[in-house]
Amino acid sequence: MSHVLTTAQALTLWHDVALAMVRDDEPDLSVRQMSILLTIYLEAPPHTVRDLARKLGVSKPVITRALDTMGKLELVSRRRDEKDRRNVLIQRTVKGALYLERLADTIGKLSQKL
């Protein structure tokens, strides 16, 4: 059985999650960066800059800048595709997986309050 949130509940949940993210010690990611990170972790690999740009409807430089930031935070890593050296594969990291696991826990806990 699914629970459909009202508009107010959905916005309250988003607000509460955003507030929790601001208050914790985790890195602050933009909505674009979070979308990219979630795509990498929720959708089956392989992930390339080109594929992510197409999927999110943004330019390749936008993806590259976001990956630069997330790479410095060790949330993702990149390596050259051995099969096609023109491609760079974006890979999950343990730190990125733990970041999203903590985020999911926060969302779960806050959704219980609605």
Side-chain angles (χ1 to χ4, degrees):
M1 181 166 82
S2 67
H3 174 72
V4 178
L5 300 178
T6 65
T7 300
Q9 289 173 319
L11 292 174
T12 297
L13 178 57
W14 192 354
H15 170 264
D16 292 349
V17 169
L19 190 57
M21 291 173 71
V22 167
R23 289 179 175 164
D24 68 19
D25 291 333
E26 299 287 349
D28 290 335
L29 298 182
S30 70
V31 174
R32 179 174 287 152
Q33 291 166 336
M34 184 63 74
S35 295
I36 294 167
L37 189 63
L38 287 168
T39 299
I40 293 166
Y41 280 82
L42 294 176
E43 297 184 9
H47 300 287
T48 64
V49 171
R50 181 182 308 117
D51 291 339
L52 289 168
R54 184 176 25 79
K55 194 169 289 187
L56 275 72
V58 298
S59 67
K60 290 191 293 185
V62 164
I63 299 294
T64 299
R65 283 192 300 273
L67 292 173
D68 288 345
T69 298
M70 291 187 291
K72 288 176 188 166
L73 296 169
E74 300 176 9
L75 300 176
V76 297
S77 65
R78 291 182 263 196
R79 70 171 176 81
R80 186 69 57 190
D81 184 351
E82 294 301 323
K83 295 177 187 167
D84 183 347
R85 304 278 306 158
R86 296 170 297 171
N87 286 331
V88 174
L89 299 174
I90 295 90
Q91 298 181 300
R92 302 165 180 166
T93 65
V94 171
K95 193 168 182 178
L98 292 173
Y99 174 87
L100 288 176
E101 188 175 309
R102 287 188 295 272
L103 176 60
D105 288 346
T106 298
I107 295 167
K109 288 175 189 167
L110 292 171
S111 69
Q112 299 287 321
K113 297 178 181 181
L114 297 178

